[in-house]
Amino acid sequence: MELLNIKDLDLANKKVFIRCDFNVPMDEFANISDDRRIRSALATINYCLDQDCTIILASHLGRPKGEVESKYSLEPVQRRLHHLLKREVMLAKSVVGEETIEQVKNLKCCDVLLLENLRFEKGETKNSKELSEKLASMADIYINDAFGVSHRAHASVEGITHFFDEEHKAAGFLLQKEIEFFGNITKTPVRPFAAIVGGSKVSGKLEALVNLLPKVDKVLIGGGMAFTFLKQLGYEIGNSLVEDDLLEDAKKIMDEAKRLGVKFYLPVDVVAAQTFSADSVSKVTPAQEIPIGWMGLDIGPATVRLYREVLADTQTILWNGPMGVYEMERFARGSSKIAHFVADSYATTVVGGGDTADLVQRVGVDDEMTFISTGGGASLELLEGKVLPGVMPLVTKEN
Ligand code: AMP
C-alpha cells in the first residue's frame, strides 16, 4: 500500500497541522513513564521545522469524556516535547476555543503550538464535521503521524482529511514506517515466519489469527487465549480464562492450520495458581493436568523450551500478546524468557500491541527488537487485513 508521502509536499513556510499520538503512559504523579510515542514523532516534526514550517501539534491523552479534565491536560507532553525538541513549545488553553484560534493566527515561522487534549471536545470521537472543519482551518497542510489512533474514525484523524486535497495532506514518517513494516512482514516475509500470539482473549485476536494463518509457517499460542484451544481439545483447564462461545472458532482455526500445513503450537505446561493474585499458591503443571479450581496464568518451563526450539530456525517473528499475566512477577517468567529469546534471535522481530511493547521494555530488550509498533489496536486491525479509516484517505495505491 502506498501513501501520500510527506516528502512530496511543498512544505516551505507553511502552517502544518500534525496529528500525533502522544497518548503516553503516566505514573500517579503525572510523570511520563514511557515517552516512546513522543520520540517517535520527532522525525516528522523536525522535518517540518527544517522547512521553516509553523507547527500545530494535536493529540489525545487518556479518555476524558468530551470535557475538560485537568488530569488529562497535555502539559506533561508539552514539557517533554520542549526537552526533546530543544525549543519552545507553546500549549494552547483549549482545542478550538476563540483564544486558541487567535493564537494560531498569530503564530510565526518555526513556532510550535500544542493544542490541548483533542478529547476535551465531544466532537473528536464523534468525527464531527464542525470540529474537523475548525481544526482544518488552522493550517495549510495536514499530516497524520498518529498510527496508534488510525483505526479510529475521529475528527482529527478521518474527518479533517476531507478538507485537504492530495497536495496538502500526507502520512508522516512514523505512520509510513508502521504501514510499511506491517505490509512487508505480512506480504513478503523472510521464511520461516512465526507468529507468537498471546494476551487475554481469543475474541480480540480471532480475526487477526484467521488472517495470519495463510501467511505464516508457525503459530505459537500463549496467554489466556491458549485455554480456549486447550479446552476445545478436551483438556481440563480448571478455572483458567476461557471463551466457551468461541470453542467452535478455535476448532476451525486449528483445522485450518492443519489444512494449510501451518504448525500450530499450544502450551504443554503452565504455571497454575489457586487464585488470580500476585501472592497466590502456584505450581507448574502439564497443560493436561491443571487441577480443578486452579487457573493457568503463565506458560511453563517446558513450553518455554519447546517455543525456543520452534523459534530457533525462524527468520521473521511477529509477536502480539504476552504469554502470561506479566504484570505479576510470579507469572511473568514465561513472557520474559520468550522476550529474551526473541530479542537475541537473528530474525526480523516485530512487536505489536501495547502490552507486548510494555513487556519488552520492562524486560529491557526493547532496543534489541527490529521494530516495536506504537499502536496496539491499530496493528491488530492491520493484521486483520483492514485498511484503517485514518489511513484510507491517504492511500494512493492499494496492493
Ligand atoms: P491483550 O490485551 O488481549 O493483549 O491481553 C493482555 C493481558 O492478558 C495482560 O494484561 C495479561 O495479564 C493478560 N493475560 C495473559 N495471560 C493470561 C492468563 N493466562 N490468564 C489471564 N490473563 C492473562
Side-chain angles (χ1 to χ4, degrees):
M1 183 191 308
E2 275 174 35
L3 303 183
L4 292 168
N5 194 322
I6 185 171
K7 286 192 173 164
D8 295 330
L9 298 181
D10 174 13
L11 288 176
N13 299 301
K14 299 284 190 330
K15 249 184 195 161
V16 182
F17 183 103
I18 311 178
R19 175 43 159 121
C20 300
D21 178 8
F22 295 146
N23 187 26
V24 286
M26 292 206 261
D27 66 14
E28 63 269 41
F29 308 110
N31 297 308
I32 296 171
S33 49
D34 176 12
D35 67 358
R36 172 182 306 277
R37 286 180 164 174
I38 304 180
R39 283 184 283 115
S40 304
L42 296 181
T44 298
I45 300 171
N46 281 325
Y47 180 78
C48 294
L49 285 170
D50 284 347
Q51 319 234 10
D52 295 330
C53 293
T54 304
I55 315 272
I56 298 146
L57 300 172
S59 174
H60 73 289
L61 174 69
R63 290 174 184 239
K65 301 261 172 320
E67 52 196 58
V68 178
E69 282 181 69
S70 56
K71 69 172 176 179
Y72 292 122
S73 167
L74 284 179
E75 207 183 315
V77 173
Q78 173 207 16
R79 271 185 266 122
R80 185 60 58 95
L81 268 171
H82 166 70
H83 176 72
L84 292 169
L85 285 170
K86 299 184 180 58
R87 63 165 61 229
E88 189 193 353
V89 175
M90 295 173 269
L91 177 65
K93 286 208 164 62
S94 62
V95 183
V96 285
E98 266 173 42
E99 248 176 295
T100 301
I101 301 284
E102 205 45 41
Q103 195 175 6
V104 168
K105 276 190 197 139
N106 294 326
L107 290 174
K108 298 183 300 296
C109 166
C110 294
D111 281 347
V112 180
L113 174 72
L114 173 64
L115 301 182
E116 249 307 355
N117 192 332
L118 285 161
R119 292 195 190 164
F120 285 172
E121 286 291 327
K122 281 194 178 59
E124 168 63 1
T125 53
K126 297 198 169 105
N127 203 9
S128 132
K129 193 171 170 204
E130 194 189 335
L131 179 61
S132 306
E133 192 166 10
K134 276 191 193 160
L135 293 172
S137 71
M138 292 180 177
D140 311 306
I141 305 272
Y142 170 75
I143 303 291
N144 182 353
D145 215 16
F147 175 69
V149 277
S150 287
H151 59 313
R152 307 271 183 228
H154 290 173
S156 65
V157 179
E158 201 276 337
I160 190 170
T161 60
H162 300 288
F163 296 92
F164 296 89
D165 64 23
E166 297 208 339
E167 265 101 63
H168 294 87
K169 64 183 169 192
F173 293 113
L174 174 63
L175 183 62
Q176 294 268 5
K177 194 162 126 187
E178 296 262 10
I179 298 288
E180 213 177 286
F181 236 96
F182 280 101
N184 287 344
I185 202 176
T186 49
K187 224 174 71 217
T188 49
V190 183
R191 293 182 182 280
F193 177 14
I196 309 173
V197 187
S200 55
K201 292 182 181 155
V202 181
S203 48
K205 288 170 189 157
L206 187 67
E207 289 300 318
L209 264 175
V210 170
N211 196 48
L212 274 173
L213 275 185
K215 300 181 173 123
V216 299
D217 302 297
K218 317 177 184 204
V219 176
L220 295 77
I221 301 285
M225 69 188 306
F227 299 99
T228 301
F229 291 99
L230 290 170
K231 182 165 182 183
Q232 170 58 35
L233 292 175
Y235 298 158
E236 169 61 52
I237 55 158
N239 281 352
S240 305
L241 203 67
V242 67
E243 288 167 285
D244 283 314
D245 52 331
L246 290 182
L247 288 172
E248 248 329 285
D249 291 275
K251 179 173 180 344
K252 276 191 204 139
I253 287 177
M254 289 188 283
D255 287 347
E256 184 63 2
K258 202 178 277 172
R259 194 185 70 76
L260 293 166
V262 174
K263 308 287 181 289
F264 196 86
Y265 294 93
L266 289 168
V268 291
D269 65 343
V270 301
V271 180
Q274 266 183 333
T275 55
F276 189 87
S277 60
D279 52 5
S280 165
V281 175
S282 65
K283 63 176 178 183
V284 174
T285 76
Q288 302 186 35
E289 294 178 28
I290 301 172
I292 291 170
W294 290 54
M295 59 190 83
L297 295 182
D298 193 10
I299 56 173
T303 309
V304 170
R305 279 200 296 279
L306 169 70
Y307 283 11
R308 277 185 186 151
E309 210 158 302
V310 170
L311 292 171
D313 71 335
T314 52
Q315 296 290 323
T316 308
I317 302 172
L318 176 71
W319 185 5
N320 193 308
M323 297 289 97
V325 183
Y326 74 98
E327 298 92 332
M328 300 179 194
E329 212 180 317
R330 184 169 294 202
F331 311 112
R333 207 117 176 233
S335 299
S336 158
K337 295 252 177 206
I338 297 293
H340 280 292
F341 189 79
V342 171
D344 285 344
S345 89
Y346 280 67
T348 300
T349 51
V350 179
V351 175
D355 281 314
T356 325
D358 179 36
L359 161 73
V360 294
Q361 187 182 319
R362 283 190 196 205
V363 175
V365 294
D366 45 334
D367 285 343
E368 315 297 324
M369 301 295 175
T370 312
F371 186 66
I372 298 181
S373 173
T374 53
S379 64
L380 260 186
E381 291 201 16
L382 268 188
L383 294 175
E384 286 166 21
K386 294 182 183 156
V387 182
L388 313 181
V391 174
M392 190 110 70
L394 307 176
V395 174
T396 51
K397 202 170 95 195
E398 287 219 39
N399 297 317

